[in-house]
Amino acid sequence: KAGVTQTPRYLIKTRGQQVTLSCSPISGHRSVSWYQQTPGQGLQFLFEYFSETQRNKGNFPGRFSGRQFSNSRSEMNVSTLELGDSALYLCASSPKAEYEQYFGPGTRLTVT
Amino acid sequence: AQRVTQPEKLLSVFKGAPVELKCNYSYSGSPELFWYVQYSRQRLQLLLRHISRESIKGFTADLNKGETSFHLKKPFAQEEDSAMYYCALSGWYSGAGSYQLTFGKGTKLSVIP
């Protein structure tokens, strides 16, 4: 099976702009989770989608949002970018959220 | 709330020496615990989960509910074990009706030749 893919792999944006990141899960996986990884905070949970519904959300401001499509592909959007949003954003898929998660390579977002 | 603590940011050991990466957790229910590993320039991947009780690449981890720990061990470290190791807990959030995976901040293992 093909692994989790994320596009784009690298992004440079300016403060105040918005960005959309994309994630394609492993075929058959219905749960997609998003994480933010930074050197200071480590891996922090953003949100989880299952069958197009957001089931759980981490402690992030409303500028961070996401959605999942009927084919389980997911997008994450960050509006009004801040310098502190610079991070590696990881997507993970799973048959169900409680099972082991399979991670994508991440999208490296740099906000200048 | 669930929490995972990895007290060591960096652990350096000599090749052939035993390795123990510490992980403590806080969770009111019955946890599902994992160790994930990230090798240089590779994606995060599952190393092992406590429920399977497997030994992967020589690593084992035992869940100690009394001490709320899930330490990762290997009797003889190899150079290829150098990587970032994350302990993670999957817990049920009743309010969300869903599970959430919470990670520790990770321990960087460096095996000295």
Side-chain angles (χ1 to χ4, degrees), chain A residues 3-5 35 37 40-43 45 48 55-57 88 90 97-101 103-105, chain B residues 32 34 36 38 43-46 49 86 90-91 93 95-105:
Chain A
V4 177
T5 58
Y35 299 86
Q37 186 177 27
Q41 298 300 317
L43 279 153
F45 172 77
E48 187 248 341
R55 294 197 301 184
N56 203 353
K57 189 176 186 339
L88 181 67
L90 294 173
E98 62 269 36
Y99 293 178
E100 70 177 81
Q101 296 191 9
F103 284 82
Chain B
E32 178 83 33
F34 305 83
Y36 282 82
Q38 192 167 29
R43 63 182 68 188
L44 195 62
Q45 58 187 287
L46 180 71
R49 57 189 299 183
Y86 294 93
S90 179
Y93 271 73
S98 160
Y99 285 85
Q100 179 174 316
L101 194 61
T102 299
F103 285 87
K105 293 205 171 179

